[in-house]
Amino acid sequence: ENLSSGINAEYGGSRGGPAAAPRSLIDHGGDLPNVSGGVYKPGGGGGAVPGMTRNQQKNQKKRENARAKPAAGQLQQESAVEFKSAVVNENEKKLKNLKKKLYQVQKLKEQVAAGKQLEKNQLDKIATENELVAEIQKLEL
């Protein structure tokens, strides 16, 4: 007879040894949150307001935070600043894009000087150099 197989069968250990003995909730250090009558209940833990779901609690916090917002005059000033910065960012984007195109035109001119045959769209891009320079100067003011 093999004694170890009898022990495994009796206690149900999965790796050849004895299984862990069942423990009660009290062995874990007393009352556990979300446990009632030895049964775990998810979501019923700390900070729950009786009679309110999580979404209701979240919406209530949003309403409280909305009441605590600054006065409308301050809000208008902040939005005006944001608008100005958005315009500045838009101009910076355009300027960066135009400088990139101008750089590409200069590279194409170098290729022409080196004797490379360019395609029609590349030659058209070189022809826009004066427009690009004028637009860049206009935006940098």
Side-chain angles (χ1 to χ4, degrees):
E1 275 182 59
N2 187 352
L3 291 177
S4 65
S5 65
I7 292 172
N8 286 341
E10 184 178 339
Y11 292 109
S14 63
R15 295 185 181 200
R23 298 181 351 181
S24 71
L25 293 174
I26 297 170
D27 294 341
H28 289 283
D31 289 337
L32 294 175
N34 305 344
V35 176
S36 172
V39 178
Y40 173 76
K41 297 181 181 178
V49 177
M52 290 182 72
T53 65
R54 280 190 176 172
N55 282 338
Q56 289 171 334
Q57 292 174 16
K58 193 164 97 176
N59 289 336
Q60 183 179 12
K61 281 187 180 181
K62 283 183 182 179
R63 284 190 295 272
E64 289 171 0
N65 289 338
R67 285 186 214 123
K69 288 238 174 171
Q74 292 175 342
L75 190 60
Q76 287 176 353
Q77 289 174 354
E78 290 174 9
S79 63
V81 170
E82 289 175 17
F83 178 73
K84 287 179 183 177
S85 65
V87 170
V88 170
N89 288 341
E90 190 66 30
N91 286 341
E92 288 175 1
K93 274 184 177 179
K94 287 180 184 179
L95 190 60
K96 182 179 177 184
N97 193 12
L98 290 170
K99 286 183 178 182
K100 179 179 173 184
K101 287 180 182 180
L102 186 60
Y103 175 77
Q104 291 170 346
V105 167
Q106 291 170 349
K107 286 292 181 188
L108 289 173
K109 280 182 152 185
E110 289 174 7
Q111 290 177 1
V112 168
K116 184 176 179 185
Q117 191 71 18
L118 298 182
E119 295 184 13
K120 183 184 180 318
N121 64 338
Q122 293 173 317
L123 294 172
D124 292 342
K125 187 175 237 178
I126 291 175
T128 64
E129 180 182 20
N130 292 335
E131 296 169 19
L132 292 173
V133 170
E135 188 78 24
I136 289 172
Q137 290 174 348
K138 179 179 161 188
L139 286 175
E140 285 182 337
L141 292 179

